[in-house]
Amino acid sequence: MYYCMRYPFFHFIRIVSILNIFFFRFLFITGSQQQRTPAAYRSSSVDVPRGSTNRSLVPATNSRNNALERVAQNPIRFHEENGMMVPDGYTSHVIRPAARGDVVTMARAMNRDFGAKAKAMFQSEVDAAREAIEQDLYISYRQPGKDFDCYRVGSIGRCFCGHALNEHARFNGKSRRLKCKSGGCACDAFAYIPSRPDEAGEFWLAKRPGFDQSTWRAKCRCGHAHDRHEPKYKRCKECSCSNFNSNFLCAACNNHWEQHETFIERGDEREQQKLPTGEFYMPFAELPDMQQVIFTGSDAHMPSPYLDAAPRQAVQHGGGMRGRAAALQAPNRPAIGYEQYSNSSTRNDNSAAQRGPPRGRGPLRGSHRATEE
């Protein structure tokens, strides 16, 4: 205050600046209120009358009505094509499901060493099936009431206690509870549990550098392995877990371990339940080509699974990739890699006549029936 009284000029400048601020603020408020248009007459870029330069005078509701009127005046026309109503100017393509499922061909196309991998994966089951056929004693791992086995258990099959089947008592025809003979083990009955990550659907673990499959153990939801649980009551030795609840799913049926049981059966008992026995107990008994792969570790007897395996005539006369695509989309096309040379004369193979007439089996299907003969 003293400063303003001593210097009146600065006091005058201060009053003028305050008045200017209030004056310009008043002009701004009144001007914005005058320029604001009602909601019904806001700017629109649709259907502006010719010669009109002010778009703010076109009601927004009229643009919507005009758009609906144009649609009503020019309706979308449809035509029937392949049993479907298709808008004019569009082309329809019918999506047909695969007439013959061919999972093996896809797997071969994705894995160059498919034969070796398949043999390694199923070798333990092949050995278990051979033991079962020789001894007429079938030990399998499956869900109760199901008509298929999830896994064939052999002498090296692992029990929940951590010991193999050959470390348990042998089946004497009476008790099916095979007690563990390993010293200090409280296991009173053999209960199979997956011993490899691929049996539990964890296929990616084997691809990790330095992964040791022998150290892998199926785990409970508590985070501890099955051999860290009591074999009799399934209580965890490391934490307060009162029962083993698997944190994995069966690769065959997509269900938990506790939903399975280990069955010890004779051949006649399985036949009464209409379960496969004998040669039909072998893996892929219904898929002879695939069974040959897991026996030999080679898929050389199967034609190429790639796109180049399309019929040559379709490729030559169809024009490159389009011809191949047309051949693959044919409704009566056989699965790639199977039945491409149903007629032995088209292969120029001298040994075709010695083998006799073609068996005429479809892809992934054998010529035999899985019934008693």
Side-chain angles (χ1 to χ4, degrees):
M1 186 69 181
Y2 171 77
Y3 187 86
C4 294
M5 292 178 63
R6 188 171 182 180
Y7 300 96
F9 175 75
F10 291 100
H11 184 66
F12 173 77
I13 295 299
R14 183 180 180 186
I15 295 174
V16 171
S17 60
I18 294 174
L19 292 176
N20 288 338
I21 291 173
F22 281 103
F23 177 76
F24 285 110
R25 182 176 294 181
F26 174 78
L27 291 179
F28 177 77
I29 294 175
T30 56
S32 61
Q33 291 179 352
Q34 292 177 359
Q35 294 178 1
R36 184 174 297 178
T37 56
Y41 290 89
R42 290 181 182 175
S43 177
S44 174
S45 59
V46 181
D47 293 341
V48 179
R50 293 184 179 180
S52 176
T53 58
N54 188 1
R55 294 179 178 267
S56 63
L57 298 179
V58 180
T61 55
N62 290 346
S63 62
R64 181 178 180 183
N65 295 336
N66 293 338
L68 295 176
E69 290 179 1
R70 287 199 303 271
V71 173
Q73 294 174 1
N74 302 308
I76 300 175
R77 293 178 173 80
F78 291 81
H79 65 278
E80 186 174 356
E81 182 177 343
N82 297 326
M84 298 183 298
M85 300 302 296
V86 182
D88 290 349
Y90 290 83
T91 303
S92 66
H93 296 278
V94 180
I95 301 176
R96 299 186 180 91
R100 298 175 178 179
D102 196 354
V103 181
V104 176
T105 299
M106 181 186 67
R108 292 177 61 218
M110 297 175 62
N111 298 275
R112 295 186 180 277
D113 53 348
F114 171 76
K117 287 183 178 179
K119 186 178 187 299
M121 181 179 295
F122 290 94
Q123 186 61 49
S124 59
E125 287 201 72
V126 171
D127 296 339
R130 289 172 177 167
E131 294 176 6
I133 295 172
E134 292 175 1
Q135 304 173 11
D136 191 33
L137 182 62
Y138 299 83
I139 303 177
S140 58
Y141 168 76
R142 68 174 184 268
Q143 292 188 74
K146 298 295 183 180
D147 58 352
F148 65 89
D149 301 305
C150 294
Y151 197 81
R152 300 160 183 82
V153 183
S155 59
I156 61 173
R158 183 179 297 169
C159 176
F160 183 87
C161 67
H163 301 103
L165 175 63
N166 53 20
E167 300 179 76
H168 289 67
R170 296 180 62 86
F171 178 64
N172 55 9
K174 297 180 181 179
S175 176
R176 302 180 189 273
R177 301 181 64 85
L178 309 182
K179 295 184 179 182
C180 184
K181 298 184 298 181
S182 181
C185 184
C187 175
D188 61 349
F190 177 83
Y192 174 79
I193 194 167
S195 57
R196 299 182 309 178
D198 53 3
E199 298 175 20
E202 300 177 356
F203 302 94
W204 61 88
L205 292 178
K207 298 181 180 180
R208 292 181 176 177
F211 176 76
D212 188 2
Q213 183 173 287
S214 61
T215 62
W216 182 87
R217 295 292 184 273
K219 292 184 178 181
C220 174
R221 291 182 180 178
C222 69
H224 299 106
H226 66 87
D227 54 0
R228 302 308 304 161
H229 289 68
E230 295 179 358
K232 189 173 183 180
Y233 299 104
K234 307 296 187 294
R235 289 192 295 260
C236 185
K237 303 176 184 178
E238 304 291 338
C239 64
S240 59
C241 175
S242 60
N243 193 16
F244 182 86
N245 294 303
S246 60
N247 69 342
F248 60 91
L249 297 175
C250 175
C253 67
N254 203 33
N255 286 288
H256 286 280
W257 174 83
E258 50 270 21
Q259 298 176 260
H260 293 72
E261 291 184 11
T262 303
F263 292 86
I264 303 175
E265 304 160 309
R266 292 292 185 182
D268 55 352
E269 296 175 345
R270 289 181 62 89
E271 291 176 357
Q272 292 176 3
Q273 303 176 59
K274 297 182 179 180
L275 295 172
T277 58
E279 62 177 283
F280 301 115
Y281 186 66
M282 296 294 293
F284 296 106
E286 72 282 6
L287 312 176
D289 293 323
M290 186 61 198
Q291 191 179 67
Q292 188 69 14
V293 172
I294 64 173
F295 285 167
T296 62
S298 172
D299 59 346
H301 62 284
M302 304 169 73
S304 173
Y306 301 103
L307 186 63
D308 292 337
R312 289 187 176 182
Q313 295 180 355
V315 175
Q316 292 175 356
H317 300 287
M321 291 297 294
R322 292 185 178 180
R324 293 191 181 98
L328 295 175
Q329 294 176 2
N332 297 325
R333 178 190 67 83
I336 298 178
Y338 298 89
E339 288 191 349
Q340 294 179 14
Y341 305 100
S342 58
N343 186 1
S344 59
S345 62
T346 60
R347 295 189 60 181
N348 296 324
D349 191 354
N350 295 329
S351 62
Q354 300 177 0
R355 290 194 298 269
R359 288 177 291 177
R361 66 171 184 262
L364 308 182
R365 292 293 175 187
S367 57
H368 62 272
R369 294 175 297 177
T371 55
E372 297 182 6
E373 296 181 355

